[in-house]
Amino acid sequence: QVQLVESGGGLVQAGDSLRLSCAASGRTFGRYAMGWFRQAPGKEREFVAAISSWGGGGTLYADSAKGRFTISRDNAKNLVHLQMNSLKLEDTAAYYCAAGNSIPQLVEAPNYWGRGTQVTVSS
């Protein structure tokens, strides 16, 4: 029902920055909590960051992202962003946008997923 399309991934060097974007369908976008997950080859999918629905007002970051990444959203444009600074080699992964009814629910089992965008960090 809800379609999510990520963009902004690429090849960067350690210490560089990237801004990922996720475009969502539907005019009810503001009712969903939105978040980002990532999965590196040979590793489990892991939660990165989440932001509450328009009426919520909260954010949540994984320890690996806290202090370096910032999640934001523009409900009028149906967009969610992940600003990634000071990128590290271990940030290399496919990054997926996700939507859920709330941040706790999204962290456990999002309702919708995007197809992903690749971020590769080199030394």
Side-chain angles (χ1 to χ4, degrees):
Q1 182 179 352
V2 176
Q3 294 181 317
L4 306 173
V5 181
E6 303 94 335
S7 63
L11 307 175
V12 298
Q13 291 186 309
D16 286 352
S17 297
L18 275 178
R19 183 179 176 88
L20 305 183
S21 297
C22 174
S25 65
R27 58 184 179 182
T28 60
F29 171 74
R31 294 161 55 182
Y32 290 94
M34 301 294 298
W36 292 90
F37 292 76
R38 68 186 183 186
Q39 186 168 20
K43 298 200 67 177
E44 299 288 328
R45 181 194 67 186
E46 66 173 342
F47 167 77
V48 177
I51 186 166
S52 63
S53 60
W54 182 87
T59 57
L60 179 67
Y61 296 94
D63 288 341
S64 60
K66 198 170 187 177
R68 299 188 300 125
F69 295 1
T70 302
I71 188 170
S72 62
R73 66 190 298 162
D74 184 341
N75 291 332
K77 297 181 178 180
N78 285 16
L79 292 173
V80 60
H81 305 287
L82 184 68
Q83 178 66 45
M84 304 186 294
N85 298 326
S86 302
L87 284 163
K88 305 174 180 179
L89 292 177
E90 52 263 43
D91 294 320
T92 295
Y95 283 72
Y96 298 90
C97 180
N101 295 325
S102 66
I103 288 180
Q105 184 267 322
L106 182 150
V107 171
E108 292 297 322
N111 297 112
Y112 305 100
W113 292 94
R115 290 182 178 272
T117 185
Q118 180 67 37
V119 173
T120 302
V121 184
S122 63
S123 62

